[in-house]
Amino acid sequence: MSGTQIFDPEGRAIPFAVEGDGPVSLVLIPERGLDGNPLGVVAHYLAEEAGFHIVRIGVDPAAPDAVASTLAVIDHVGLERTWIGGHGAGGTLARRIAAAHSDRLNGLLLLGVEDVDVALAPVIPVLIIQGADDDVTPRSAGETLQATAPERASVKTLPGTGHLFPMMEPVETAVIIEEYLDWD
């Protein structure tokens, strides 16, 4: 992550980066195992072009302390309420956080939905973005999840894209997020 800082609560070194200072805040968690800065272009576009306040947290979504680590960074940067989202396993972590702490969230953003048994938190809006040709987190997983809360969950599909759509089509991904969150 460019501009990475390290927050070290209780001996856990958690990398994070902050961009922008707009009124809409969004926390992004990357897919497990992706090197480099996988959501950096999406975050940069949303911060610079759309005026959002973006916090990217480099936590391992599968770590036992991932929820606590993510919340520790959110508290550290001073966010009382925020949108939270992630790509693949990062989105599953965001769903776990939303299920346990929906009172701290404005909404949930899922970039490629894993087929796991984590229900959507009540009340908060959900934006699901799927790659049309994703064989890791197939479109059907997002559509199935959306069907559990059709009144508040929306699905957008990027044609001709696979699982790495946030890296392969970052501006298109960011524009979908910007247009959806513009009402927030």
mmCIF file of all heavy atoms in Angstrom, residues 129-172:
data_model
loop_
_atom_site.group_PDB
_atom_site.id
_atom_site.type_symbol
_atom_site.label_atom_id
_atom_site.label_comp_id
_atom_site.label_asym_id
_atom_site.label_seq_id
_atom_site.Cartn_x
_atom_site.Cartn_y
_atom_site.Cartn_z
ATOM 1 N N ILE A 129 -20.708 -5.914 -6.112
ATOM 2 C CA ILE A 129 -20.182 -5.811 -7.472
ATOM 3 C C ILE A 129 -19.540 -7.156 -7.791
ATOM 4 O O ILE A 129 -18.732 -7.665 -7.014
ATOM 5 C CB ILE A 129 -19.151 -4.667 -7.623
ATOM 6 C CG1 ILE A 129 -19.767 -3.340 -7.167
ATOM 7 C CG2 ILE A 129 -18.663 -4.581 -9.065
ATOM 8 C CD1 ILE A 129 -18.786 -2.172 -7.164
ATOM 9 N N GLN A 130 -19.918 -7.721 -8.918
ATOM 10 C CA GLN A 130 -19.428 -9.027 -9.336
ATOM 11 C C GLN A 130 -18.801 -8.934 -10.716
ATOM 12 O O GLN A 130 -19.273 -8.180 -11.570
ATOM 13 C CB GLN A 130 -20.579 -10.030 -9.402
ATOM 14 C CG GLN A 130 -21.238 -10.350 -8.083
ATOM 15 C CD GLN A 130 -20.402 -11.218 -7.179
ATOM 16 O OE1 GLN A 130 -20.273 -10.931 -6.010
ATOM 17 N NE2 GLN A 130 -19.819 -12.284 -7.690
ATOM 18 N N GLY A 131 -17.765 -9.722 -10.945
ATOM 19 C CA GLY A 131 -17.216 -9.899 -12.280
ATOM 20 C C GLY A 131 -18.072 -10.911 -13.023
ATOM 21 O O GLY A 131 -18.387 -11.973 -12.479
ATOM 22 N N ALA A 132 -18.458 -10.599 -14.236
ATOM 23 C CA ALA A 132 -19.360 -11.473 -14.992
ATOM 24 C C ALA A 132 -18.773 -12.866 -15.209
ATOM 25 O O ALA A 132 -19.508 -13.851 -15.248
ATOM 26 C CB ALA A 132 -19.700 -10.831 -16.335
ATOM 27 N N ASP A 133 -17.454 -12.950 -15.333
ATOM 28 C CA ASP A 133 -16.805 -14.227 -15.615
ATOM 29 C C ASP A 133 -15.940 -14.705 -14.451
ATOM 30 O O ASP A 133 -14.958 -15.415 -14.651
ATOM 31 C CB ASP A 133 -15.945 -14.093 -16.879
ATOM 32 C CG ASP A 133 -16.767 -13.652 -18.084
ATOM 33 O OD1 ASP A 133 -17.923 -14.098 -18.202
ATOM 34 O OD2 ASP A 133 -16.246 -12.861 -18.894
ATOM 35 N N ASP A 134 -16.312 -14.345 -13.243
ATOM 36 C CA ASP A 134 -15.545 -14.694 -12.040
ATOM 37 C C ASP A 134 -15.773 -16.161 -11.702
ATOM 38 O O ASP A 134 -16.902 -16.571 -11.433
ATOM 39 C CB ASP A 134 -15.997 -13.793 -10.887
ATOM 40 C CG ASP A 134 -15.137 -13.922 -9.647
ATOM 41 O OD1 ASP A 134 -14.437 -14.937 -9.493
ATOM 42 O OD2 ASP A 134 -15.185 -12.988 -8.821
ATOM 43 N N ASP A 135 -14.702 -16.947 -11.705
ATOM 44 C CA ASP A 135 -14.839 -18.359 -11.340
ATOM 45 C C ASP A 135 -14.386 -18.629 -9.903
ATOM 46 O O ASP A 135 -14.462 -19.753 -9.428
ATOM 47 C CB ASP A 135 -14.089 -19.254 -12.324
ATOM 48 C CG ASP A 135 -12.608 -18.948 -12.411
ATOM 49 O OD1 ASP A 135 -12.155 -17.961 -11.790
ATOM 50 O OD2 ASP A 135 -11.892 -19.689 -13.108
ATOM 51 N N VAL A 136 -13.920 -17.600 -9.188
ATOM 52 C CA VAL A 136 -13.531 -17.740 -7.784
ATOM 53 C C VAL A 136 -14.712 -17.374 -6.880
ATOM 54 O O VAL A 136 -15.044 -18.104 -5.946
ATOM 55 C CB VAL A 136 -12.298 -16.864 -7.454
ATOM 56 C CG1 VAL A 136 -11.951 -16.939 -5.977
ATOM 57 C CG2 VAL A 136 -11.120 -17.283 -8.318
ATOM 58 N N THR A 137 -15.303 -16.221 -7.147
ATOM 59 C CA THR A 137 -16.511 -15.788 -6.438
ATOM 60 C C THR A 137 -17.581 -15.541 -7.513
ATOM 61 O O THR A 137 -17.781 -14.419 -7.960
ATOM 62 C CB THR A 137 -16.262 -14.510 -5.606
ATOM 63 O OG1 THR A 137 -15.726 -13.494 -6.458
ATOM 64 C CG2 THR A 137 -15.305 -14.764 -4.461
ATOM 65 N N PRO A 138 -18.247 -16.605 -7.941
ATOM 66 C CA PRO A 138 -19.157 -16.498 -9.083
ATOM 67 C C PRO A 138 -20.323 -15.539 -8.857
ATOM 68 O O PRO A 138 -20.752 -15.315 -7.723
ATOM 69 C CB PRO A 138 -19.653 -17.920 -9.294
ATOM 70 C CG PRO A 138 -19.211 -18.710 -8.134
ATOM 71 C CD PRO A 138 -18.198 -17.932 -7.380
ATOM 72 N N ARG A 139 -20.785 -15.003 -9.962
ATOM 73 C CA ARG A 139 -21.920 -14.078 -9.957
ATOM 74 C C ARG A 139 -23.095 -14.615 -9.161
ATOM 75 O O ARG A 139 -23.789 -13.871 -8.464
ATOM 76 C CB ARG A 139 -22.357 -13.867 -11.408
ATOM 77 C CG ARG A 139 -22.472 -12.473 -11.804
ATOM 78 C CD ARG A 139 -22.590 -12.314 -13.263
ATOM 79 N NE ARG A 139 -23.732 -12.983 -13.866
ATOM 80 C CZ ARG A 139 -24.036 -12.870 -15.128
ATOM 81 N NH1 ARG A 139 -23.312 -12.139 -15.928
ATOM 82 N NH2 ARG A 139 -25.078 -13.485 -15.628
ATOM 83 N N SER A 140 -23.337 -15.904 -9.271
ATOM 84 C CA SER A 140 -24.487 -16.505 -8.584
ATOM 85 C C SER A 140 -24.406 -16.323 -7.073
ATOM 86 O O SER A 140 -25.436 -16.193 -6.405
ATOM 87 C CB SER A 140 -24.602 -17.992 -8.933
ATOM 88 O OG SER A 140 -23.430 -18.680 -8.542
ATOM 89 N N ALA A 141 -23.188 -16.292 -6.502
ATOM 90 C CA ALA A 141 -23.061 -16.084 -5.057
ATOM 91 C C ALA A 141 -23.559 -14.700 -4.662
ATOM 92 O O ALA A 141 -24.242 -14.540 -3.644
ATOM 93 C CB ALA A 141 -21.602 -16.277 -4.618
ATOM 94 N N GLY A 142 -23.234 -13.687 -5.458
ATOM 95 C CA GLY A 142 -23.722 -12.339 -5.195
ATOM 96 C C GLY A 142 -25.225 -12.227 -5.362
ATOM 97 O O GLY A 142 -25.911 -11.576 -4.573
ATOM 98 N N GLU A 143 -25.746 -12.876 -6.397
ATOM 99 C CA GLU A 143 -27.188 -12.834 -6.639
ATOM 100 C C GLU A 143 -27.957 -13.552 -5.530
ATOM 101 O O GLU A 143 -29.021 -13.092 -5.109
ATOM 102 C CB GLU A 143 -27.486 -13.441 -8.005
ATOM 103 C CG GLU A 143 -26.945 -12.583 -9.138
ATOM 104 C CD GLU A 143 -26.891 -13.289 -10.478
ATOM 105 O OE1 GLU A 143 -27.128 -14.526 -10.540
ATOM 106 O OE2 GLU A 143 -26.593 -12.607 -11.480
ATOM 107 N N THR A 144 -27.411 -14.671 -5.055
ATOM 108 C CA THR A 144 -28.048 -15.402 -3.956
ATOM 109 C C THR A 144 -28.065 -14.559 -2.685
ATOM 110 O O THR A 144 -29.078 -14.494 -1.986
ATOM 111 C CB THR A 144 -27.319 -16.742 -3.710
ATOM 112 O OG1 THR A 144 -27.404 -17.531 -4.903
ATOM 113 C CG2 THR A 144 -27.916 -17.498 -2.547
ATOM 114 N N LEU A 145 -26.947 -13.900 -2.391
ATOM 115 C CA LEU A 145 -26.883 -13.043 -1.207
ATOM 116 C C LEU A 145 -27.852 -11.869 -1.346
ATOM 117 O O LEU A 145 -28.570 -11.537 -0.397
ATOM 118 C CB LEU A 145 -25.459 -12.545 -0.978
ATOM 119 C CG LEU A 145 -25.231 -11.766 0.310
ATOM 120 C CD1 LEU A 145 -25.500 -12.641 1.538
ATOM 121 C CD2 LEU A 145 -23.813 -11.222 0.353
ATOM 122 N N GLN A 146 -27.900 -11.261 -2.510
ATOM 123 C CA GLN A 146 -28.810 -10.129 -2.749
ATOM 124 C C GLN A 146 -30.263 -10.544 -2.534
ATOM 125 O O GLN A 146 -31.065 -9.763 -2.007
ATOM 126 C CB GLN A 146 -28.601 -9.591 -4.170
ATOM 127 C CG GLN A 146 -29.351 -8.325 -4.465
ATOM 128 C CD GLN A 146 -30.706 -8.545 -5.103
ATOM 129 O OE1 GLN A 146 -31.022 -9.607 -5.637
ATOM 130 N NE2 GLN A 146 -31.533 -7.510 -5.063
ATOM 131 N N ALA A 147 -30.608 -11.774 -2.905
ATOM 132 C CA ALA A 147 -31.983 -12.259 -2.761
ATOM 133 C C ALA A 147 -32.419 -12.358 -1.304
ATOM 134 O O ALA A 147 -33.614 -12.370 -1.019
ATOM 135 C CB ALA A 147 -32.142 -13.611 -3.454
ATOM 136 N N THR A 148 -31.464 -12.375 -0.360
ATOM 137 C CA THR A 148 -31.820 -12.443 1.059
ATOM 138 C C THR A 148 -32.266 -11.088 1.603
ATOM 139 O O THR A 148 -32.842 -11.025 2.681
ATOM 140 C CB THR A 148 -30.652 -12.974 1.920
ATOM 141 O OG1 THR A 148 -29.577 -12.033 1.912
ATOM 142 C CG2 THR A 148 -30.178 -14.336 1.440
ATOM 143 N N ALA A 149 -31.977 -10.012 0.871
ATOM 144 C CA ALA A 149 -32.366 -8.667 1.302
ATOM 145 C C ALA A 149 -32.587 -7.782 0.074
ATOM 146 O O ALA A 149 -31.924 -6.764 -0.103
ATOM 147 C CB ALA A 149 -31.301 -8.072 2.208
ATOM 148 N N PRO A 150 -33.522 -8.149 -0.797
ATOM 149 C CA PRO A 150 -33.682 -7.431 -2.070
ATOM 150 C C PRO A 150 -34.073 -5.965 -1.914
ATOM 151 O O PRO A 150 -33.805 -5.159 -2.799
ATOM 152 C CB PRO A 150 -34.767 -8.227 -2.799
ATOM 153 C CG PRO A 150 -35.514 -8.939 -1.719
ATOM 154 C CD PRO A 150 -34.499 -9.206 -0.630
ATOM 155 N N GLU A 151 -34.656 -5.612 -0.790
ATOM 156 C CA GLU A 151 -35.093 -4.229 -0.587
ATOM 157 C C GLU A 151 -33.938 -3.282 -0.287
ATOM 158 O O GLU A 151 -34.093 -2.065 -0.374
ATOM 159 C CB GLU A 151 -36.130 -4.164 0.540
ATOM 160 C CG GLU A 151 -35.584 -4.393 1.936
ATOM 161 C CD GLU A 151 -35.196 -5.836 2.289
ATOM 162 O OE1 GLU A 151 -35.451 -6.758 1.492
ATOM 163 O OE2 GLU A 151 -34.630 -6.030 3.380
ATOM 164 N N ARG A 152 -32.759 -3.827 0.058
ATOM 165 C CA ARG A 152 -31.639 -2.948 0.409
ATOM 166 C C ARG A 152 -30.295 -3.387 -0.154
ATOM 167 O O ARG A 152 -29.275 -2.750 0.103
ATOM 168 C CB ARG A 152 -31.534 -2.796 1.922
ATOM 169 C CG ARG A 152 -31.337 -4.074 2.654
ATOM 170 C CD ARG A 152 -31.493 -3.881 4.166
ATOM 171 N NE ARG A 152 -31.488 -5.143 4.831
ATOM 172 C CZ ARG A 152 -30.391 -5.830 5.129
ATOM 173 N NH1 ARG A 152 -29.217 -5.337 4.866
ATOM 174 N NH2 ARG A 152 -30.474 -6.997 5.724
ATOM 175 N N ALA A 153 -30.290 -4.463 -0.934
ATOM 176 C CA ALA A 153 -29.040 -4.938 -1.545
ATOM 177 C C ALA A 153 -29.140 -4.822 -3.067
ATOM 178 O O ALA A 153 -30.118 -5.255 -3.656
ATOM 179 C CB ALA A 153 -28.765 -6.374 -1.138
ATOM 180 N N SER A 154 -28.129 -4.232 -3.667
ATOM 181 C CA SER A 154 -28.066 -4.068 -5.121
ATOM 182 C C SER A 154 -26.874 -4.826 -5.674
ATOM 183 O O SER A 154 -25.818 -4.872 -5.039
ATOM 184 C CB SER A 154 -27.895 -2.587 -5.483
ATOM 185 O OG SER A 154 -28.975 -1.833 -5.015
ATOM 186 N N VAL A 155 -27.045 -5.396 -6.853
ATOM 187 C CA VAL A 155 -25.959 -6.103 -7.525
ATOM 188 C C VAL A 155 -25.650 -5.396 -8.841
ATOM 189 O O VAL A 155 -26.550 -5.095 -9.619
ATOM 190 C CB VAL A 155 -26.321 -7.577 -7.823
ATOM 191 C CG1 VAL A 155 -25.212 -8.252 -8.620
ATOM 192 C CG2 VAL A 155 -26.604 -8.349 -6.559
ATOM 193 N N LYS A 156 -24.382 -5.128 -9.055
ATOM 194 C CA LYS A 156 -23.885 -4.590 -10.323
ATOM 195 C C LYS A 156 -22.862 -5.589 -10.850
ATOM 196 O O LYS A 156 -22.058 -6.120 -10.084
ATOM 197 C CB LYS A 156 -23.218 -3.221 -10.139
ATOM 198 C CG LYS A 156 -24.120 -2.172 -9.529
ATOM 199 C CD LYS A 156 -25.214 -1.786 -10.475
ATOM 200 C CE LYS A 156 -26.055 -0.693 -9.855
ATOM 201 N NZ LYS A 156 -27.177 -0.299 -10.667
ATOM 202 N N THR A 157 -22.877 -5.824 -12.145
ATOM 203 C CA THR A 157 -21.965 -6.787 -12.755
ATOM 204 C C THR A 157 -21.101 -6.086 -13.792
ATOM 205 O O THR A 157 -21.609 -5.322 -14.614
ATOM 206 C CB THR A 157 -22.764 -7.923 -13.417
ATOM 207 O OG1 THR A 157 -23.606 -8.531 -12.431
ATOM 208 C CG2 THR A 157 -21.848 -8.976 -13.999
ATOM 209 N N LEU A 158 -19.795 -6.361 -13.724
ATOM 210 C CA LEU A 158 -18.867 -5.831 -14.724
ATOM 211 C C LEU A 158 -18.686 -6.878 -15.808
ATOM 212 O O LEU A 158 -18.147 -7.960 -15.553
ATOM 213 C CB LEU A 158 -17.514 -5.501 -14.082
ATOM 214 C CG LEU A 158 -17.442 -4.173 -13.369
ATOM 215 C CD1 LEU A 158 -16.173 -4.067 -12.535
ATOM 216 C CD2 LEU A 158 -17.491 -3.039 -14.360
ATOM 217 N N PRO A 159 -19.151 -6.591 -17.024
ATOM 218 C CA PRO A 159 -19.057 -7.578 -18.101
ATOM 219 C C PRO A 159 -17.609 -7.874 -18.482
ATOM 220 O O PRO A 159 -16.742 -7.015 -18.405
ATOM 221 C CB PRO A 159 -19.798 -6.910 -19.268
ATOM 222 C CG PRO A 159 -19.998 -5.495 -18.896
ATOM 223 C CD PRO A 159 -19.767 -5.346 -17.434
ATOM 224 N N GLY A 160 -17.366 -9.135 -18.866
ATOM 225 C CA GLY A 160 -16.062 -9.534 -19.364
ATOM 226 C C GLY A 160 -14.945 -9.530 -18.344
ATOM 227 O O GLY A 160 -13.774 -9.470 -18.707
ATOM 228 N N THR A 161 -15.282 -9.588 -17.061
ATOM 229 C CA THR A 161 -14.249 -9.530 -16.023
ATOM 230 C C THR A 161 -14.297 -10.768 -15.134
ATOM 231 O O THR A 161 -15.351 -11.355 -14.919
ATOM 232 C CB THR A 161 -14.403 -8.282 -15.131
ATOM 233 O OG1 THR A 161 -15.681 -8.310 -14.499
ATOM 234 C CG2 THR A 161 -14.253 -7.001 -15.941
ATOM 235 N N GLY A 162 -13.142 -11.130 -14.610
ATOM 236 C CA GLY A 162 -13.024 -12.250 -13.687
ATOM 237 C C GLY A 162 -12.877 -11.768 -12.263
ATOM 238 O O GLY A 162 -13.253 -10.637 -11.922
ATOM 239 N N HIS A 163 -12.279 -12.605 -11.426
ATOM 240 C CA HIS A 163 -12.180 -12.314 -10.001
ATOM 241 C C HIS A 163 -11.333 -11.081 -9.689
ATOM 242 O O HIS A 163 -11.586 -10.387 -8.709
ATOM 243 C CB HIS A 163 -11.614 -13.532 -9.259
ATOM 244 C CG HIS A 163 -11.597 -13.356 -7.778
ATOM 245 N ND1 HIS A 163 -12.753 -13.157 -7.041
ATOM 246 C CD2 HIS A 163 -10.576 -13.338 -6.887
ATOM 247 C CE1 HIS A 163 -12.442 -13.021 -5.757
ATOM 248 N NE2 HIS A 163 -11.126 -13.132 -5.643
ATOM 249 N N LEU A 164 -10.364 -10.801 -10.513
ATOM 250 C CA LEU A 164 -9.475 -9.666 -10.238
ATOM 251 C C LEU A 164 -9.995 -8.356 -10.835
ATOM 252 O O LEU A 164 -9.226 -7.427 -11.071
ATOM 253 C CB LEU A 164 -8.062 -9.980 -10.746
ATOM 254 C CG LEU A 164 -7.403 -11.185 -10.074
ATOM 255 C CD1 LEU A 164 -6.017 -11.419 -10.651
ATOM 256 C CD2 LEU A 164 -7.349 -11.043 -8.568
ATOM 257 N N PHE A 165 -11.297 -8.256 -11.032
ATOM 258 C CA PHE A 165 -11.859 -7.052 -11.660
ATOM 259 C C PHE A 165 -11.494 -5.752 -10.947
ATOM 260 O O PHE A 165 -11.300 -4.741 -11.618
ATOM 261 C CB PHE A 165 -13.382 -7.168 -11.855
ATOM 262 C CG PHE A 165 -14.197 -7.135 -10.594
ATOM 263 C CD1 PHE A 165 -14.615 -5.935 -10.044
ATOM 264 C CD2 PHE A 165 -14.565 -8.320 -9.969
ATOM 265 C CE1 PHE A 165 -15.374 -5.905 -8.884
ATOM 266 C CE2 PHE A 165 -15.334 -8.301 -8.815
ATOM 267 C CZ PHE A 165 -15.733 -7.086 -8.269
ATOM 268 N N PRO A 166 -11.345 -5.720 -9.591
ATOM 269 C CA PRO A 166 -10.963 -4.435 -8.992
ATOM 270 C C PRO A 166 -9.566 -3.966 -9.413
ATOM 271 O O PRO A 166 -9.293 -2.771 -9.402
ATOM 272 C CB PRO A 166 -11.008 -4.712 -7.486
ATOM 273 C CG PRO A 166 -11.915 -5.880 -7.329
ATOM 274 C CD PRO A 166 -11.672 -6.708 -8.559
ATOM 275 N N MET A 167 -8.706 -4.911 -9.789
ATOM 276 C CA MET A 167 -7.362 -4.547 -10.259
ATOM 277 C C MET A 167 -7.329 -4.372 -11.778
ATOM 278 O O MET A 167 -6.602 -3.535 -12.286
ATOM 279 C CB MET A 167 -6.332 -5.623 -9.867
ATOM 280 C CG MET A 167 -5.918 -5.583 -8.408
ATOM 281 S SD MET A 167 -7.149 -6.097 -7.203
ATOM 282 C CE MET A 167 -7.429 -7.796 -7.577
ATOM 283 N N MET A 168 -8.117 -5.162 -12.488
ATOM 284 C CA MET A 168 -8.106 -5.113 -13.957
ATOM 285 C C MET A 168 -8.975 -3.975 -14.504
ATOM 286 O O MET A 168 -8.700 -3.442 -15.563
ATOM 287 C CB MET A 168 -8.581 -6.453 -14.533
ATOM 288 C CG MET A 168 -7.753 -7.643 -14.044
ATOM 289 S SD MET A 168 -5.982 -7.469 -14.309
ATOM 290 C CE MET A 168 -5.887 -7.622 -16.060
ATOM 291 N N GLU A 169 -10.022 -3.631 -13.797
ATOM 292 C CA GLU A 169 -10.947 -2.558 -14.194
ATOM 293 C C GLU A 169 -11.196 -1.630 -13.000
ATOM 294 O O GLU A 169 -12.332 -1.443 -12.553
ATOM 295 C CB GLU A 169 -12.272 -3.144 -14.690
ATOM 296 C CG GLU A 169 -12.155 -4.099 -15.860
ATOM 297 C CD GLU A 169 -11.748 -3.408 -17.151
ATOM 298 O OE1 GLU A 169 -11.843 -2.175 -17.231
ATOM 299 O OE2 GLU A 169 -11.321 -4.121 -18.082
ATOM 300 N N PRO A 170 -10.133 -1.024 -12.459
ATOM 301 C CA PRO A 170 -10.290 -0.258 -11.217
ATOM 302 C C PRO A 170 -11.142 0.992 -11.366
ATOM 303 O O PRO A 170 -11.925 1.321 -10.467
ATOM 304 C CB PRO A 170 -8.859 0.092 -10.823
ATOM 305 C CG PRO A 170 -8.099 0.062 -12.106
ATOM 306 C CD PRO A 170 -8.749 -1.016 -12.922
ATOM 307 N N VAL A 171 -11.016 1.697 -12.476
ATOM 308 C CA VAL A 171 -11.805 2.923 -12.646
ATOM 309 C C VAL A 171 -13.280 2.575 -12.807
ATOM 310 O O VAL A 171 -14.143 3.214 -12.185
ATOM 311 C CB VAL A 171 -11.279 3.765 -13.828
ATOM 312 C CG1 VAL A 171 -12.207 4.934 -14.114
ATOM 313 C CG2 VAL A 171 -9.864 4.255 -13.540
ATOM 314 N N GLU A 172 -13.582 1.553 -13.591
ATOM 315 C CA GLU A 172 -14.972 1.127 -13.762
ATOM 316 C C GLU A 172 -15.564 0.686 -12.429
ATOM 317 O O GLU A 172 -16.710 0.996 -12.111
ATOM 318 C CB GLU A 172 -15.064 -0.001 -14.799
ATOM 319 C CG GLU A 172 -14.744 0.432 -16.207
ATOM 320 C CD GLU A 172 -13.239 0.529 -16.505
ATOM 321 O OE1 GLU A 172 -12.409 0.351 -15.584
ATOM 322 O OE2 GLU A 172 -12.901 0.809 -17.674
#
